[in-house]
Amino acid sequence: SSHGECLSSGACACYYGYEGSDCSVIRYMDVVDCGYKCTFDQGSCDLLRTEDEITRYFGCHCEDGFFGVTCSLFNDTCNGNGEAIDLDVCSCYPGYAGDHCEFDCSCNGHGRCSADQSSCICDKGWR
């Protein structure tokens, strides 16, 4: 084949990325950028493209609701007022409450919401 040089002994010296007695078998170099979350439960590691006939690039194809290079991020349902700690579970910033941090208790960064989420319990020195 055209993927190596034949030696006087009859054996072939294959170019990088090829192997076999006549250098016709491609030996791929795989570049994988998927990550644990992608391959475990939030996506699938799929072939994205092949370059130079021998280099294969793999990347994560995310399941619904997940995104990011490795599918480790999920859609933020916390309205920008908290951190999503799991799918559809929020940890609200101080002064915000609700399943999706949708209630602003008007603390202006200086307190936390009351148990009934109707008012602010101010930090010491604030009212």
Side-chain angles (χ1 to χ4, degrees):
S1 73
S2 61
H3 303 293
E5 298 290 330
C6 291
L7 306 175
S8 60
S9 64
C12 291
C14 301
Y15 297 142
Y16 179 78
Y18 296 92
E19 60 188 11
S21 60
D22 64 352
C23 302
S24 63
V25 178
I26 297 175
R27 181 179 35 163
Y28 290 104
M29 180 180 75
D30 292 338
V31 178
V32 180
D33 187 19
C34 291
Y36 171 77
K37 287 293 189 181
C38 174
T39 56
F40 179 68
D41 64 352
Q42 295 175 189
S44 60
C45 193
D46 299 329
L47 177 64
L48 300 176
R49 67 184 186 281
T50 302
E51 291 181 6
D52 305 325
E53 295 182 5
I54 59 170
T55 306
R56 297 187 299 188
Y57 291 87
F58 290 83
C60 198
H61 179 274
C62 302
E63 296 290 333
D64 287 343
F66 297 94
F67 65 97
V69 173
T70 61
C71 299
S72 60
L73 305 173
F74 36 90
N75 290 337
D76 179 10
T77 58
C78 303
N79 295 301
N81 300 321
E83 298 289 329
I85 57 172
D86 203 348
L87 187 59
D88 225 19
V89 178
C90 295
S91 175
C92 300
Y93 298 138
Y96 294 91
D99 290 341
H100 300 286
C101 307
E102 66 272 24
F103 299 112
D104 181 349
C105 299
S106 300
C107 294
N108 297 317
H110 301 288
R112 65 188 192 289
C113 294
S114 62
D116 65 1
Q117 302 171 356
S118 66
S119 63
C120 180
I121 299 172
C122 296
D123 291 336
K124 187 174 182 176
W126 294 88
R127 58 186 178 120

